[in-house]
Amino acid sequence: MTIPRAAKTLRRTRIQEEKEEQILEAALDVFSASGFRGSTIDQIAEVAGMSKPNLLYYFRTKEAMHRALIDRVLYTWLEPLRAFDAEGNPETEIRSYIRRKLEMARDFPRESRLFANEVLQGAPHIEDELKGPLKELVDEKAEVIRAWAKSGKIVKCDPYHLIFSIWSTTQHYADFDVQVRAVLGQEHSGEGRFEDAARFLEQLFIGGLRPDPLGG
């Protein structure tokens, strides 16, 4: 994990910790809107309300700020998948996963767009994580889904594309929030849109995975 420059001092003060968070909040605003390539240290300093030299005391480079944010996002984003329980009821686990991913789209839209921008640019800063820890976790949960299908608890399906589909449908509500609200219109674009989405996606995925009791 990337360590802020100020964090390497023997004693970090409360003010130092607050400044680091202030900088990372500003960096998240800038990176999520403009992507890594389109962002500058000057922009981040302006949003943070700090001078550039003061900002550079805490984070020496733009890459250091971006890396610190990406590390946080990867940990947070994968937590719902880690909680996917092989011993649990498949419908309960899938329903919980869908809802937790939608909650993250609602509560962390900037983080979602930060991650999406990174991937769209070829994932230059997180390729090792995608091919390493992320792949290992998805492989592990894919085996859980295969086992459910083998035991007849759900229909046979491609577990990777099931996971990809849940990712894309839930994160859409963060990455394309402006489009979602514009199309839904004022009457349906409030916070209730996430509950509406949850009910629909549960019906879509759980209904589609539920075995036919008649075997047809």
Side-chain angles (χ1 to χ4, degrees):
M1 180 175 291
T2 301
I3 301 174
R5 186 179 178 188
K8 297 178 183 178
T9 59
L10 292 178
R11 277 188 169 182
R12 295 175 69 213
T13 67
R14 177 180 58 81
I15 292 176
Q16 285 177 323
E17 292 176 351
E18 290 175 352
K19 289 292 185 183
E20 289 165 10
E21 287 304 312
Q22 180 180 340
I23 292 167
L24 289 176
E25 274 292 306
L28 182 56
D29 276 343
V30 175
F31 286 136
S32 64
S34 304
F36 179 79
R37 294 174 186 169
S39 303
T40 67
I41 292 177
D42 290 312
Q43 288 174 318
I44 297 169
E46 181 179 357
V47 173
M50 299 171 63
S51 68
K52 184 175 179 179
N54 192 15
L55 181 149
L56 291 174
Y57 169 76
Y58 292 93
F59 292 92
R60 192 171 299 179
T61 64
K62 182 174 76 167
E63 287 80 1
M65 289 179 276
H66 188 263
R67 184 73 227 191
L69 288 169
I70 284 290
D71 285 345
R72 287 186 181 186
V73 169
L74 280 171
Y75 181 83
T76 303
W77 235 235
L78 294 178
E79 193 56 33
L81 190 57
R82 292 189 191 98
F84 215 67
D85 186 3
E87 301 302 318
N89 176 276
E91 289 194 14
T92 301
E93 294 302 313
I94 293 167
R95 178 179 288 106
S96 176
Y97 187 52
I98 290 169
R99 285 190 171 266
R100 292 186 71 184
K101 290 292 289 178
L102 279 171
E103 287 169 3
M104 294 182 74
R106 179 194 65 201
D107 298 337
F108 305 107
R110 295 177 302 164
E111 288 83 348
S112 183
R113 290 191 287 271
L114 172 77
F115 185 79
N117 276 326
E118 171 69 12
V119 173
L120 286 171
Q121 292 175 8
H125 304 98
I126 60 170
E127 185 176 5
D128 289 343
E129 283 79 3
L130 297 184
K131 293 181 177 179
L134 175 62
K135 176 171 171 48
E136 291 168 8
L137 180 61
V138 174
D139 286 345
E140 175 189 330
K141 300 308 178 180
E143 286 304 314
V144 170
I145 295 168
R146 285 196 184 100
W148 285 341
K150 187 175 181 180
S151 64
K153 295 179 179 178
I154 62 173
V155 299
K156 184 178 180 181
C157 65
D158 186 307
Y160 293 97
H161 291 290
L162 172 60
I163 293 171
F164 294 159
S165 296
I166 294 175
W167 286 353
S168 62
T169 51
T170 55
Q171 289 169 212
H172 177 88
Y173 291 90
D175 300 340
F176 294 90
D177 180 59
V178 172
Q179 175 180 272
V180 169
R181 287 187 285 110
V183 172
L184 288 176
Q186 187 173 357
E187 184 179 352
H188 302 289
S189 62
E191 288 301 301
R193 69 187 184 279
F194 292 99
E195 179 60 31
D196 293 340
R199 286 196 296 266
F200 172 77
L201 293 177
E202 288 171 7
Q203 180 184 28
L204 177 67
F205 287 109
I206 296 173
L209 291 169
R210 186 175 291 143
D212 183 344
L214 300 178

